Amino acid sequence: MKNQSYQDDVDIAAASLERMLSSFVALSPADVDRVRGWFHGPALVHPPGGSVSLHPERQDARVVARGWIARGAMLEDGRRQIVGLSLPGDVILAADAVDADMAVWALTDASTLDASLLWEAISESVDVSPRLLEAWRQVRSAERLRLARHVIRLGRLSAYERTAHLLLELYERQSRLGAAEPGVLHLPLTQDMLADILGLSAVHINRTLQQLRRAGLVDYRTGRAILPDLQGLALAAGLSIADDLADAPPSRD
């Protein structure tokens, strides 16, 4: 049973990573086999709130098989600011000197697999096709773009705009993985977690979600959010990501 659970995690993580990479650059069967051979060691289970340890000196990397994981700052008074989210298929790299003080923890029940072989092969371009290297480069570029957008969200958008923008971004990411039904966002986050991402109080995020619901743009429930009008939500965001939605692979029914 334990071996089957591990194999299930490998299959889920590999399939998610393959879909994400392929959404940027079409991979060959050999590339897909290469991705599947990169994961090793036992799967680690992370309960909600549990730390995900990564060691920079070992060029550590872990791929998310299940659940959602956050990177951010824990303040002394208990407040948190989440600066990044890792979903199934995402590879979490050990912090460098720039973000060494950032914590990494599970927001939901999660499991990760050792992906250090992946990071070593790609960073050293060892037995990796140009197509696979380009797909990885685009994935990393998308991560940097999300970080830049997050800075803009927190610095210049209203609570209403930033909430709409975050929901659209998460929907686009899930669409790339083929994990989103049309107009439905899998969202296993509490309102407190959304507040920690968006730099808002719990009261403010609750009020903002109610405003979006009254506008007919979001029906939020713990576990998912219905997005009946994606273009309207993009207008509400004040910073359009309509091009990203158009470029994302179509969602699967």
Side-chain angles (χ1 to χ4, degrees), residues 43-117:
L44 296 183
V45 176
H46 312 280
S51 176
V52 180
S53 297
L54 297 147
H55 303 283
E57 66 276 8
R58 295 208 303 260
Q59 207 172 29
D60 248 3
R62 301 199 69 80
V63 62
V64 182
R66 305 174 190 268
W68 289 37
I69 291 174
R71 185 190 291 273
M74 301 277 196
L75 305 183
E76 290 184 1
D77 61 4
R79 288 178 297 164
R80 304 186 303 184
Q81 177 62 63
I82 294 172
V83 300
L85 293 171
S86 296
L87 281 56
D90 284 339
V91 178
I92 308 171
L93 302 178
D96 57 24
V98 174
D99 58 358
D101 59 342
M102 293 286 122
V104 181
W105 71 94
L107 290 173
T108 68
D109 284 313
S111 61
T112 62
L113 299 163
D114 190 338
S116 55
L117 291 179

Side-chain angles (χ1 to χ4, degrees), residues 75-171:
L75 305 183
E76 290 184 1
D77 61 4
R79 288 178 297 164
R80 304 186 303 184
Q81 177 62 63
I82 294 172
V83 300
L85 293 171
S86 296
L87 281 56
D90 284 339
V91 178
I92 308 171
L93 302 178
D96 57 24
V98 174
D99 58 358
D101 59 342
M102 293 286 122
V104 181
W105 71 94
L107 290 173
T108 68
D109 284 313
S111 61
T112 62
L113 299 163
D114 190 338
S116 55
L117 291 179
L118 176 155
W119 180 225
E120 180 181 351
I122 287 181
S123 61
E124 298 179 6
S125 300
V126 176
D127 194 22
V128 180
S129 72
R131 183 170 34 241
L132 192 50
L133 285 173
E134 176 59 18
W136 177 259
R137 185 193 68 79
Q138 292 197 34
V139 166
R140 296 289 287 159
S141 292
E143 291 176 3
R144 288 190 290 271
L145 178 58
R146 285 197 297 270
L147 180 58
R149 283 179 176 155
H150 193 51
V151 172
I152 295 169
R153 267 200 297 262
L154 297 180
R156 287 298 181 184
L157 300 189
S158 68
Y160 189 81
E161 291 170 330
R162 68 179 74 169
T163 303
H165 191 270
L166 175 67
L167 294 175
L168 279 170
E169 182 180 279
L170 292 174
Y171 181 77

Side-chain angles (χ1 to χ4, degrees), residues 18-34:
E18 289 161 15
R19 283 195 293 267
M20 180 169 56
L21 291 167
S22 297
S23 74
F24 290 98
V25 176
L27 301 182
S28 70
D31 292 328
V32 171
D33 288 343
R34 187 79 175 100

Side-chain angles (χ1 to χ4, degrees), residues 167-169 171-173 175 230-231 233-234 241-250:
L167 294 175
L168 279 170
E169 182 180 279
Y171 181 77
E172 183 268 338
R173 291 178 68 180
S175 295
L230 293 175
Q231 293 303 321
L233 198 60
I241 60 169
D243 290 342
D244 289 335
L245 291 171
D247 292 341

